[in-house]
Amino acid sequence: MHKALCRFNSPSLGPRKDVFTVLEFFAKFHRHSGALCQKSVVKHPPPNLPEMPPCDFHPEKYKDMSKAQMLEIRKKFCNPMTMKVTYYKKPVYVHQGHMQWLWDVDGRRYLDLFAGVATVSVGHCHPQVTDAAVKQLKRLWHTTNIYVYSPLHEYAEKLAAHFPEPLKAVYFTNSGSEANDLAMLMARLHTGNFDIITLRGSYHGGSPQTMGLTSNAAYKYPIASGLGCHTTMCPDVFQGPWGGSHCRDSPIQTIRDCSCSPGHCQANDMYIGQLKEVFATCVPSRIAAFFGEPIQGVGGAVQYPKNYLKETYELVRERGGVCIADEVQTGFGRTGSHFWGFQGHGVMPDMVTMAKGIANGYPMGAIVTTPEIAASFAKGVHFNTFGGNPVACAIASSVLDTIREDGTQQISAEIGTYLLTELAKMRDKYEIIGDVRGKGLQIGVEMVKDKKSRVPLPADAMSQIFEDIKDMGVLIGKGGVYGQTFRIKPPMCITKEDADFFLAVFCHAVQSYMDQ
């Protein structure tokens, strides 16, 4: 259906064609039975929108407090930050989830393409993972690692098996922020150095320490935090000053011209030059660490030139630092080609941090490092009451089994590549779609005023398209330093039919905005 929708042309590219033909197409394929065909909030929507793929799961009828009650409590008793991060003008009141689907309190179904911020890895309430949780809950909810219990050790061994030597020492936490916070501490203890470098536009957490690593003003407070943290220019080959058409490890490249000789990336050289300038001006001769997401998550699925991380790791190690891969959003097969995002860059980090998809949404995080770095951490005593909780470990263990048995990494590769390819066709049609990028099911679509200037699309325009997509039954995310990038990071169980439905909805939302 999305192909028919995309027959609408952008006003900037020429007149619209065959409007009535498109509407007749939807009328022909519209079915009155099955999933709800949900109306758009745009002023003049076509009479029929693409229908959701069928789903034979039936949610429980909602019987709890009203939407008005929930919103009143949210405003009155929850910290104001809770209202500030409420995603939509008209909030989604979530009731139940199953695999890639969510239902609200009114029984309306949504295709979830954001997965609770790239967190639900194998599907909402996946039956196998749910069974593992229930089984462990009936046996033992909680104990700590001052005792020895099988779920922690079974999972530690299973997780370590997914890493190459010498990354075999596992430490469990409750979140990505906590994992990154401890990784900072471990790096400083091990190296005896203090300064840490990360990329602009990055997000590594919201704790007082990791706030220094996070490079986005929206997440900053006017207090001292993250001392000793420094940033270098993000090697963003679309928005940055340098970039070309062969830079990224992605099925889709930028629309920028490239005159590089085969195997050589001038943009990479320039961004590495910026890093060298940071070494020369901002930090001492010896540093503690470099933090990098293999693909920026909150930053908008930003990808770097192919050799950037490899050369960065070499420069960092020359200065006594360790290299840390933040896999909170890219791990567990999400990039499709590899189980871990760093593997796509051909590098070997000294530490890997993870959370989110590790336990399919159950609060959990981890750090995997070398025995030598782990030994440095053991010089003192660190105790985590809930890290390695038996229920968390049982769930996470089941997630690893499910990823293998359901073929979710392969789904990420195949459906992700399909989505990227089709979204790139839309980019070529619409002036406001500036860049499509990513790997697997870690996808970003950057919106601009026009391709020549690459100026981010204003927030009100982003919100209008975003809200319209939601009202047609699809949930996606937003990111980027200026909130200019749509983020598509679904549970890794979606189908091609789901992808086609989203593509139709997205194309319609973009066209509706441009028609105004």
Side-chain angles (χ1 to χ4, degrees), residues 156-174:
E157 182 181 42
K158 187 182 291 188
L159 180 62
H162 284 77
F163 285 93
E165 294 285 354
L167 295 171
K168 296 297 180 182
V170 181
Y171 191 84
F172 294 117
T173 67
N174 305 294

Side-chain angles (χ1 to χ4, degrees), residues 180-188 196 209-210 213 229 291:
N180 285 336
D181 201 304
L182 284 177
M184 295 173 73
L185 175 62
M186 289 184 191
R188 286 167 169 162
I196 298 175
Q209 283 294 321
T210 58
L213 298 177
C229 296
F291 259 88

Side-chain angles (χ1 to χ4, degrees), residues 219-479:
Y219 298 96
K220 300 285 190 180
Y221 289 89
I223 58 172
S225 62
L227 299 178
C229 296
H230 311 269
T231 63
T232 186
M233 182 183 288
C234 178
D236 182 346
V237 297
F238 175 71
Q239 274 293 356
W242 307 290
S245 57
H246 301 284
C247 294
R248 302 189 296 218
D249 176 25
S250 172
I252 305 302
Q253 301 293 331
T254 70
I255 56 174
R256 298 175 74 167
D257 293 330
C258 182
S259 58
C260 297
S261 58
H264 182 76
C265 180
Q266 296 176 20
N268 182 67
D269 294 345
M270 300 303 288
Y271 289 116
I272 288 293
Q274 290 293 307
L275 175 60
K276 289 178 178 178
E277 187 171 323
V278 170
F279 286 135
T281 60
C282 301
V283 295
S285 60
R286 306 290 289 176
I287 66 171
F290 168 80
F291 259 88
E293 302 163 87
I295 299 174
Q296 283 194 347
V298 176
V302 175
Q303 291 179 283
Y304 327 128
K306 295 172 186 174
N307 290 321
Y308 181 82
L309 284 186
K310 186 176 292 186
E311 294 185 33
T312 295
Y313 277 26
E314 292 173 1
L315 292 170
V316 168
R317 286 170 174 151
E318 287 174 4
R319 289 156 179 81
V322 297
C323 300
I324 303 169
D326 181 337
E327 295 275 359
V328 170
Q329 294 200 27
T330 50
F332 298 93
R334 181 162 288 278
T335 63
S337 62
H338 298 87
F339 200 80
W340 305 109
F342 71 79
Q343 294 170 315
H345 294 271
V347 296
M348 175 63 76
D350 302 293
M351 277 191 267
V352 180
T353 60
M354 64 207 74
K356 290 188 181 289
I358 189 173
N360 205 44
Y362 194 88
M364 190 180 191
I367 307 168
V368 179
T369 188
T370 66
E372 291 76 17
I373 294 174
S376 298
F377 186 47
K379 291 176 182 177
V381 175
H382 182 277
F383 184 72
N384 189 313
T385 301
F386 297 104
N389 171 277
V391 177
C393 288
I395 292 172
S397 181
S398 180
V399 166
L400 285 182
D401 293 340
T402 302
I403 289 172
R404 182 187 71 253
E405 293 165 13
D406 288 4
T408 57
Q409 185 177 333
Q410 185 66 23
I411 292 171
S412 290
E414 293 178 359
I415 304 300
T417 299
Y418 175 71
L419 276 168
L420 284 161
T421 303
E422 294 300 310
L423 286 166
K425 294 176 184 176
M426 290 189 207
R427 176 201 62 189
D428 296 341
K429 288 177 178 288
Y430 292 107
E431 186 67 12
I432 63 170
I433 301 179
D435 194 33
V436 172
R437 54 182 177 255
K439 283 185 68 179
L441 292 174
Q442 175 91 338
I443 296 172
V445 180
E446 184 160 347
M447 309 298 287
V448 294
K449 285 186 175 181
D450 60 83
K451 288 183 171 70
K452 184 177 180 181
S453 71
R454 303 197 300 275
V455 171
L457 195 67
D460 59 345
M462 289 292 294
S463 294
Q464 179 179 327
I465 297 170
F466 189 62
E467 200 87 13
D468 195 22
I469 291 169
K470 177 260 295 182
D471 288 335
M472 286 188 280
V474 180
L475 305 179
I476 60 174
K478 286 190 290 186

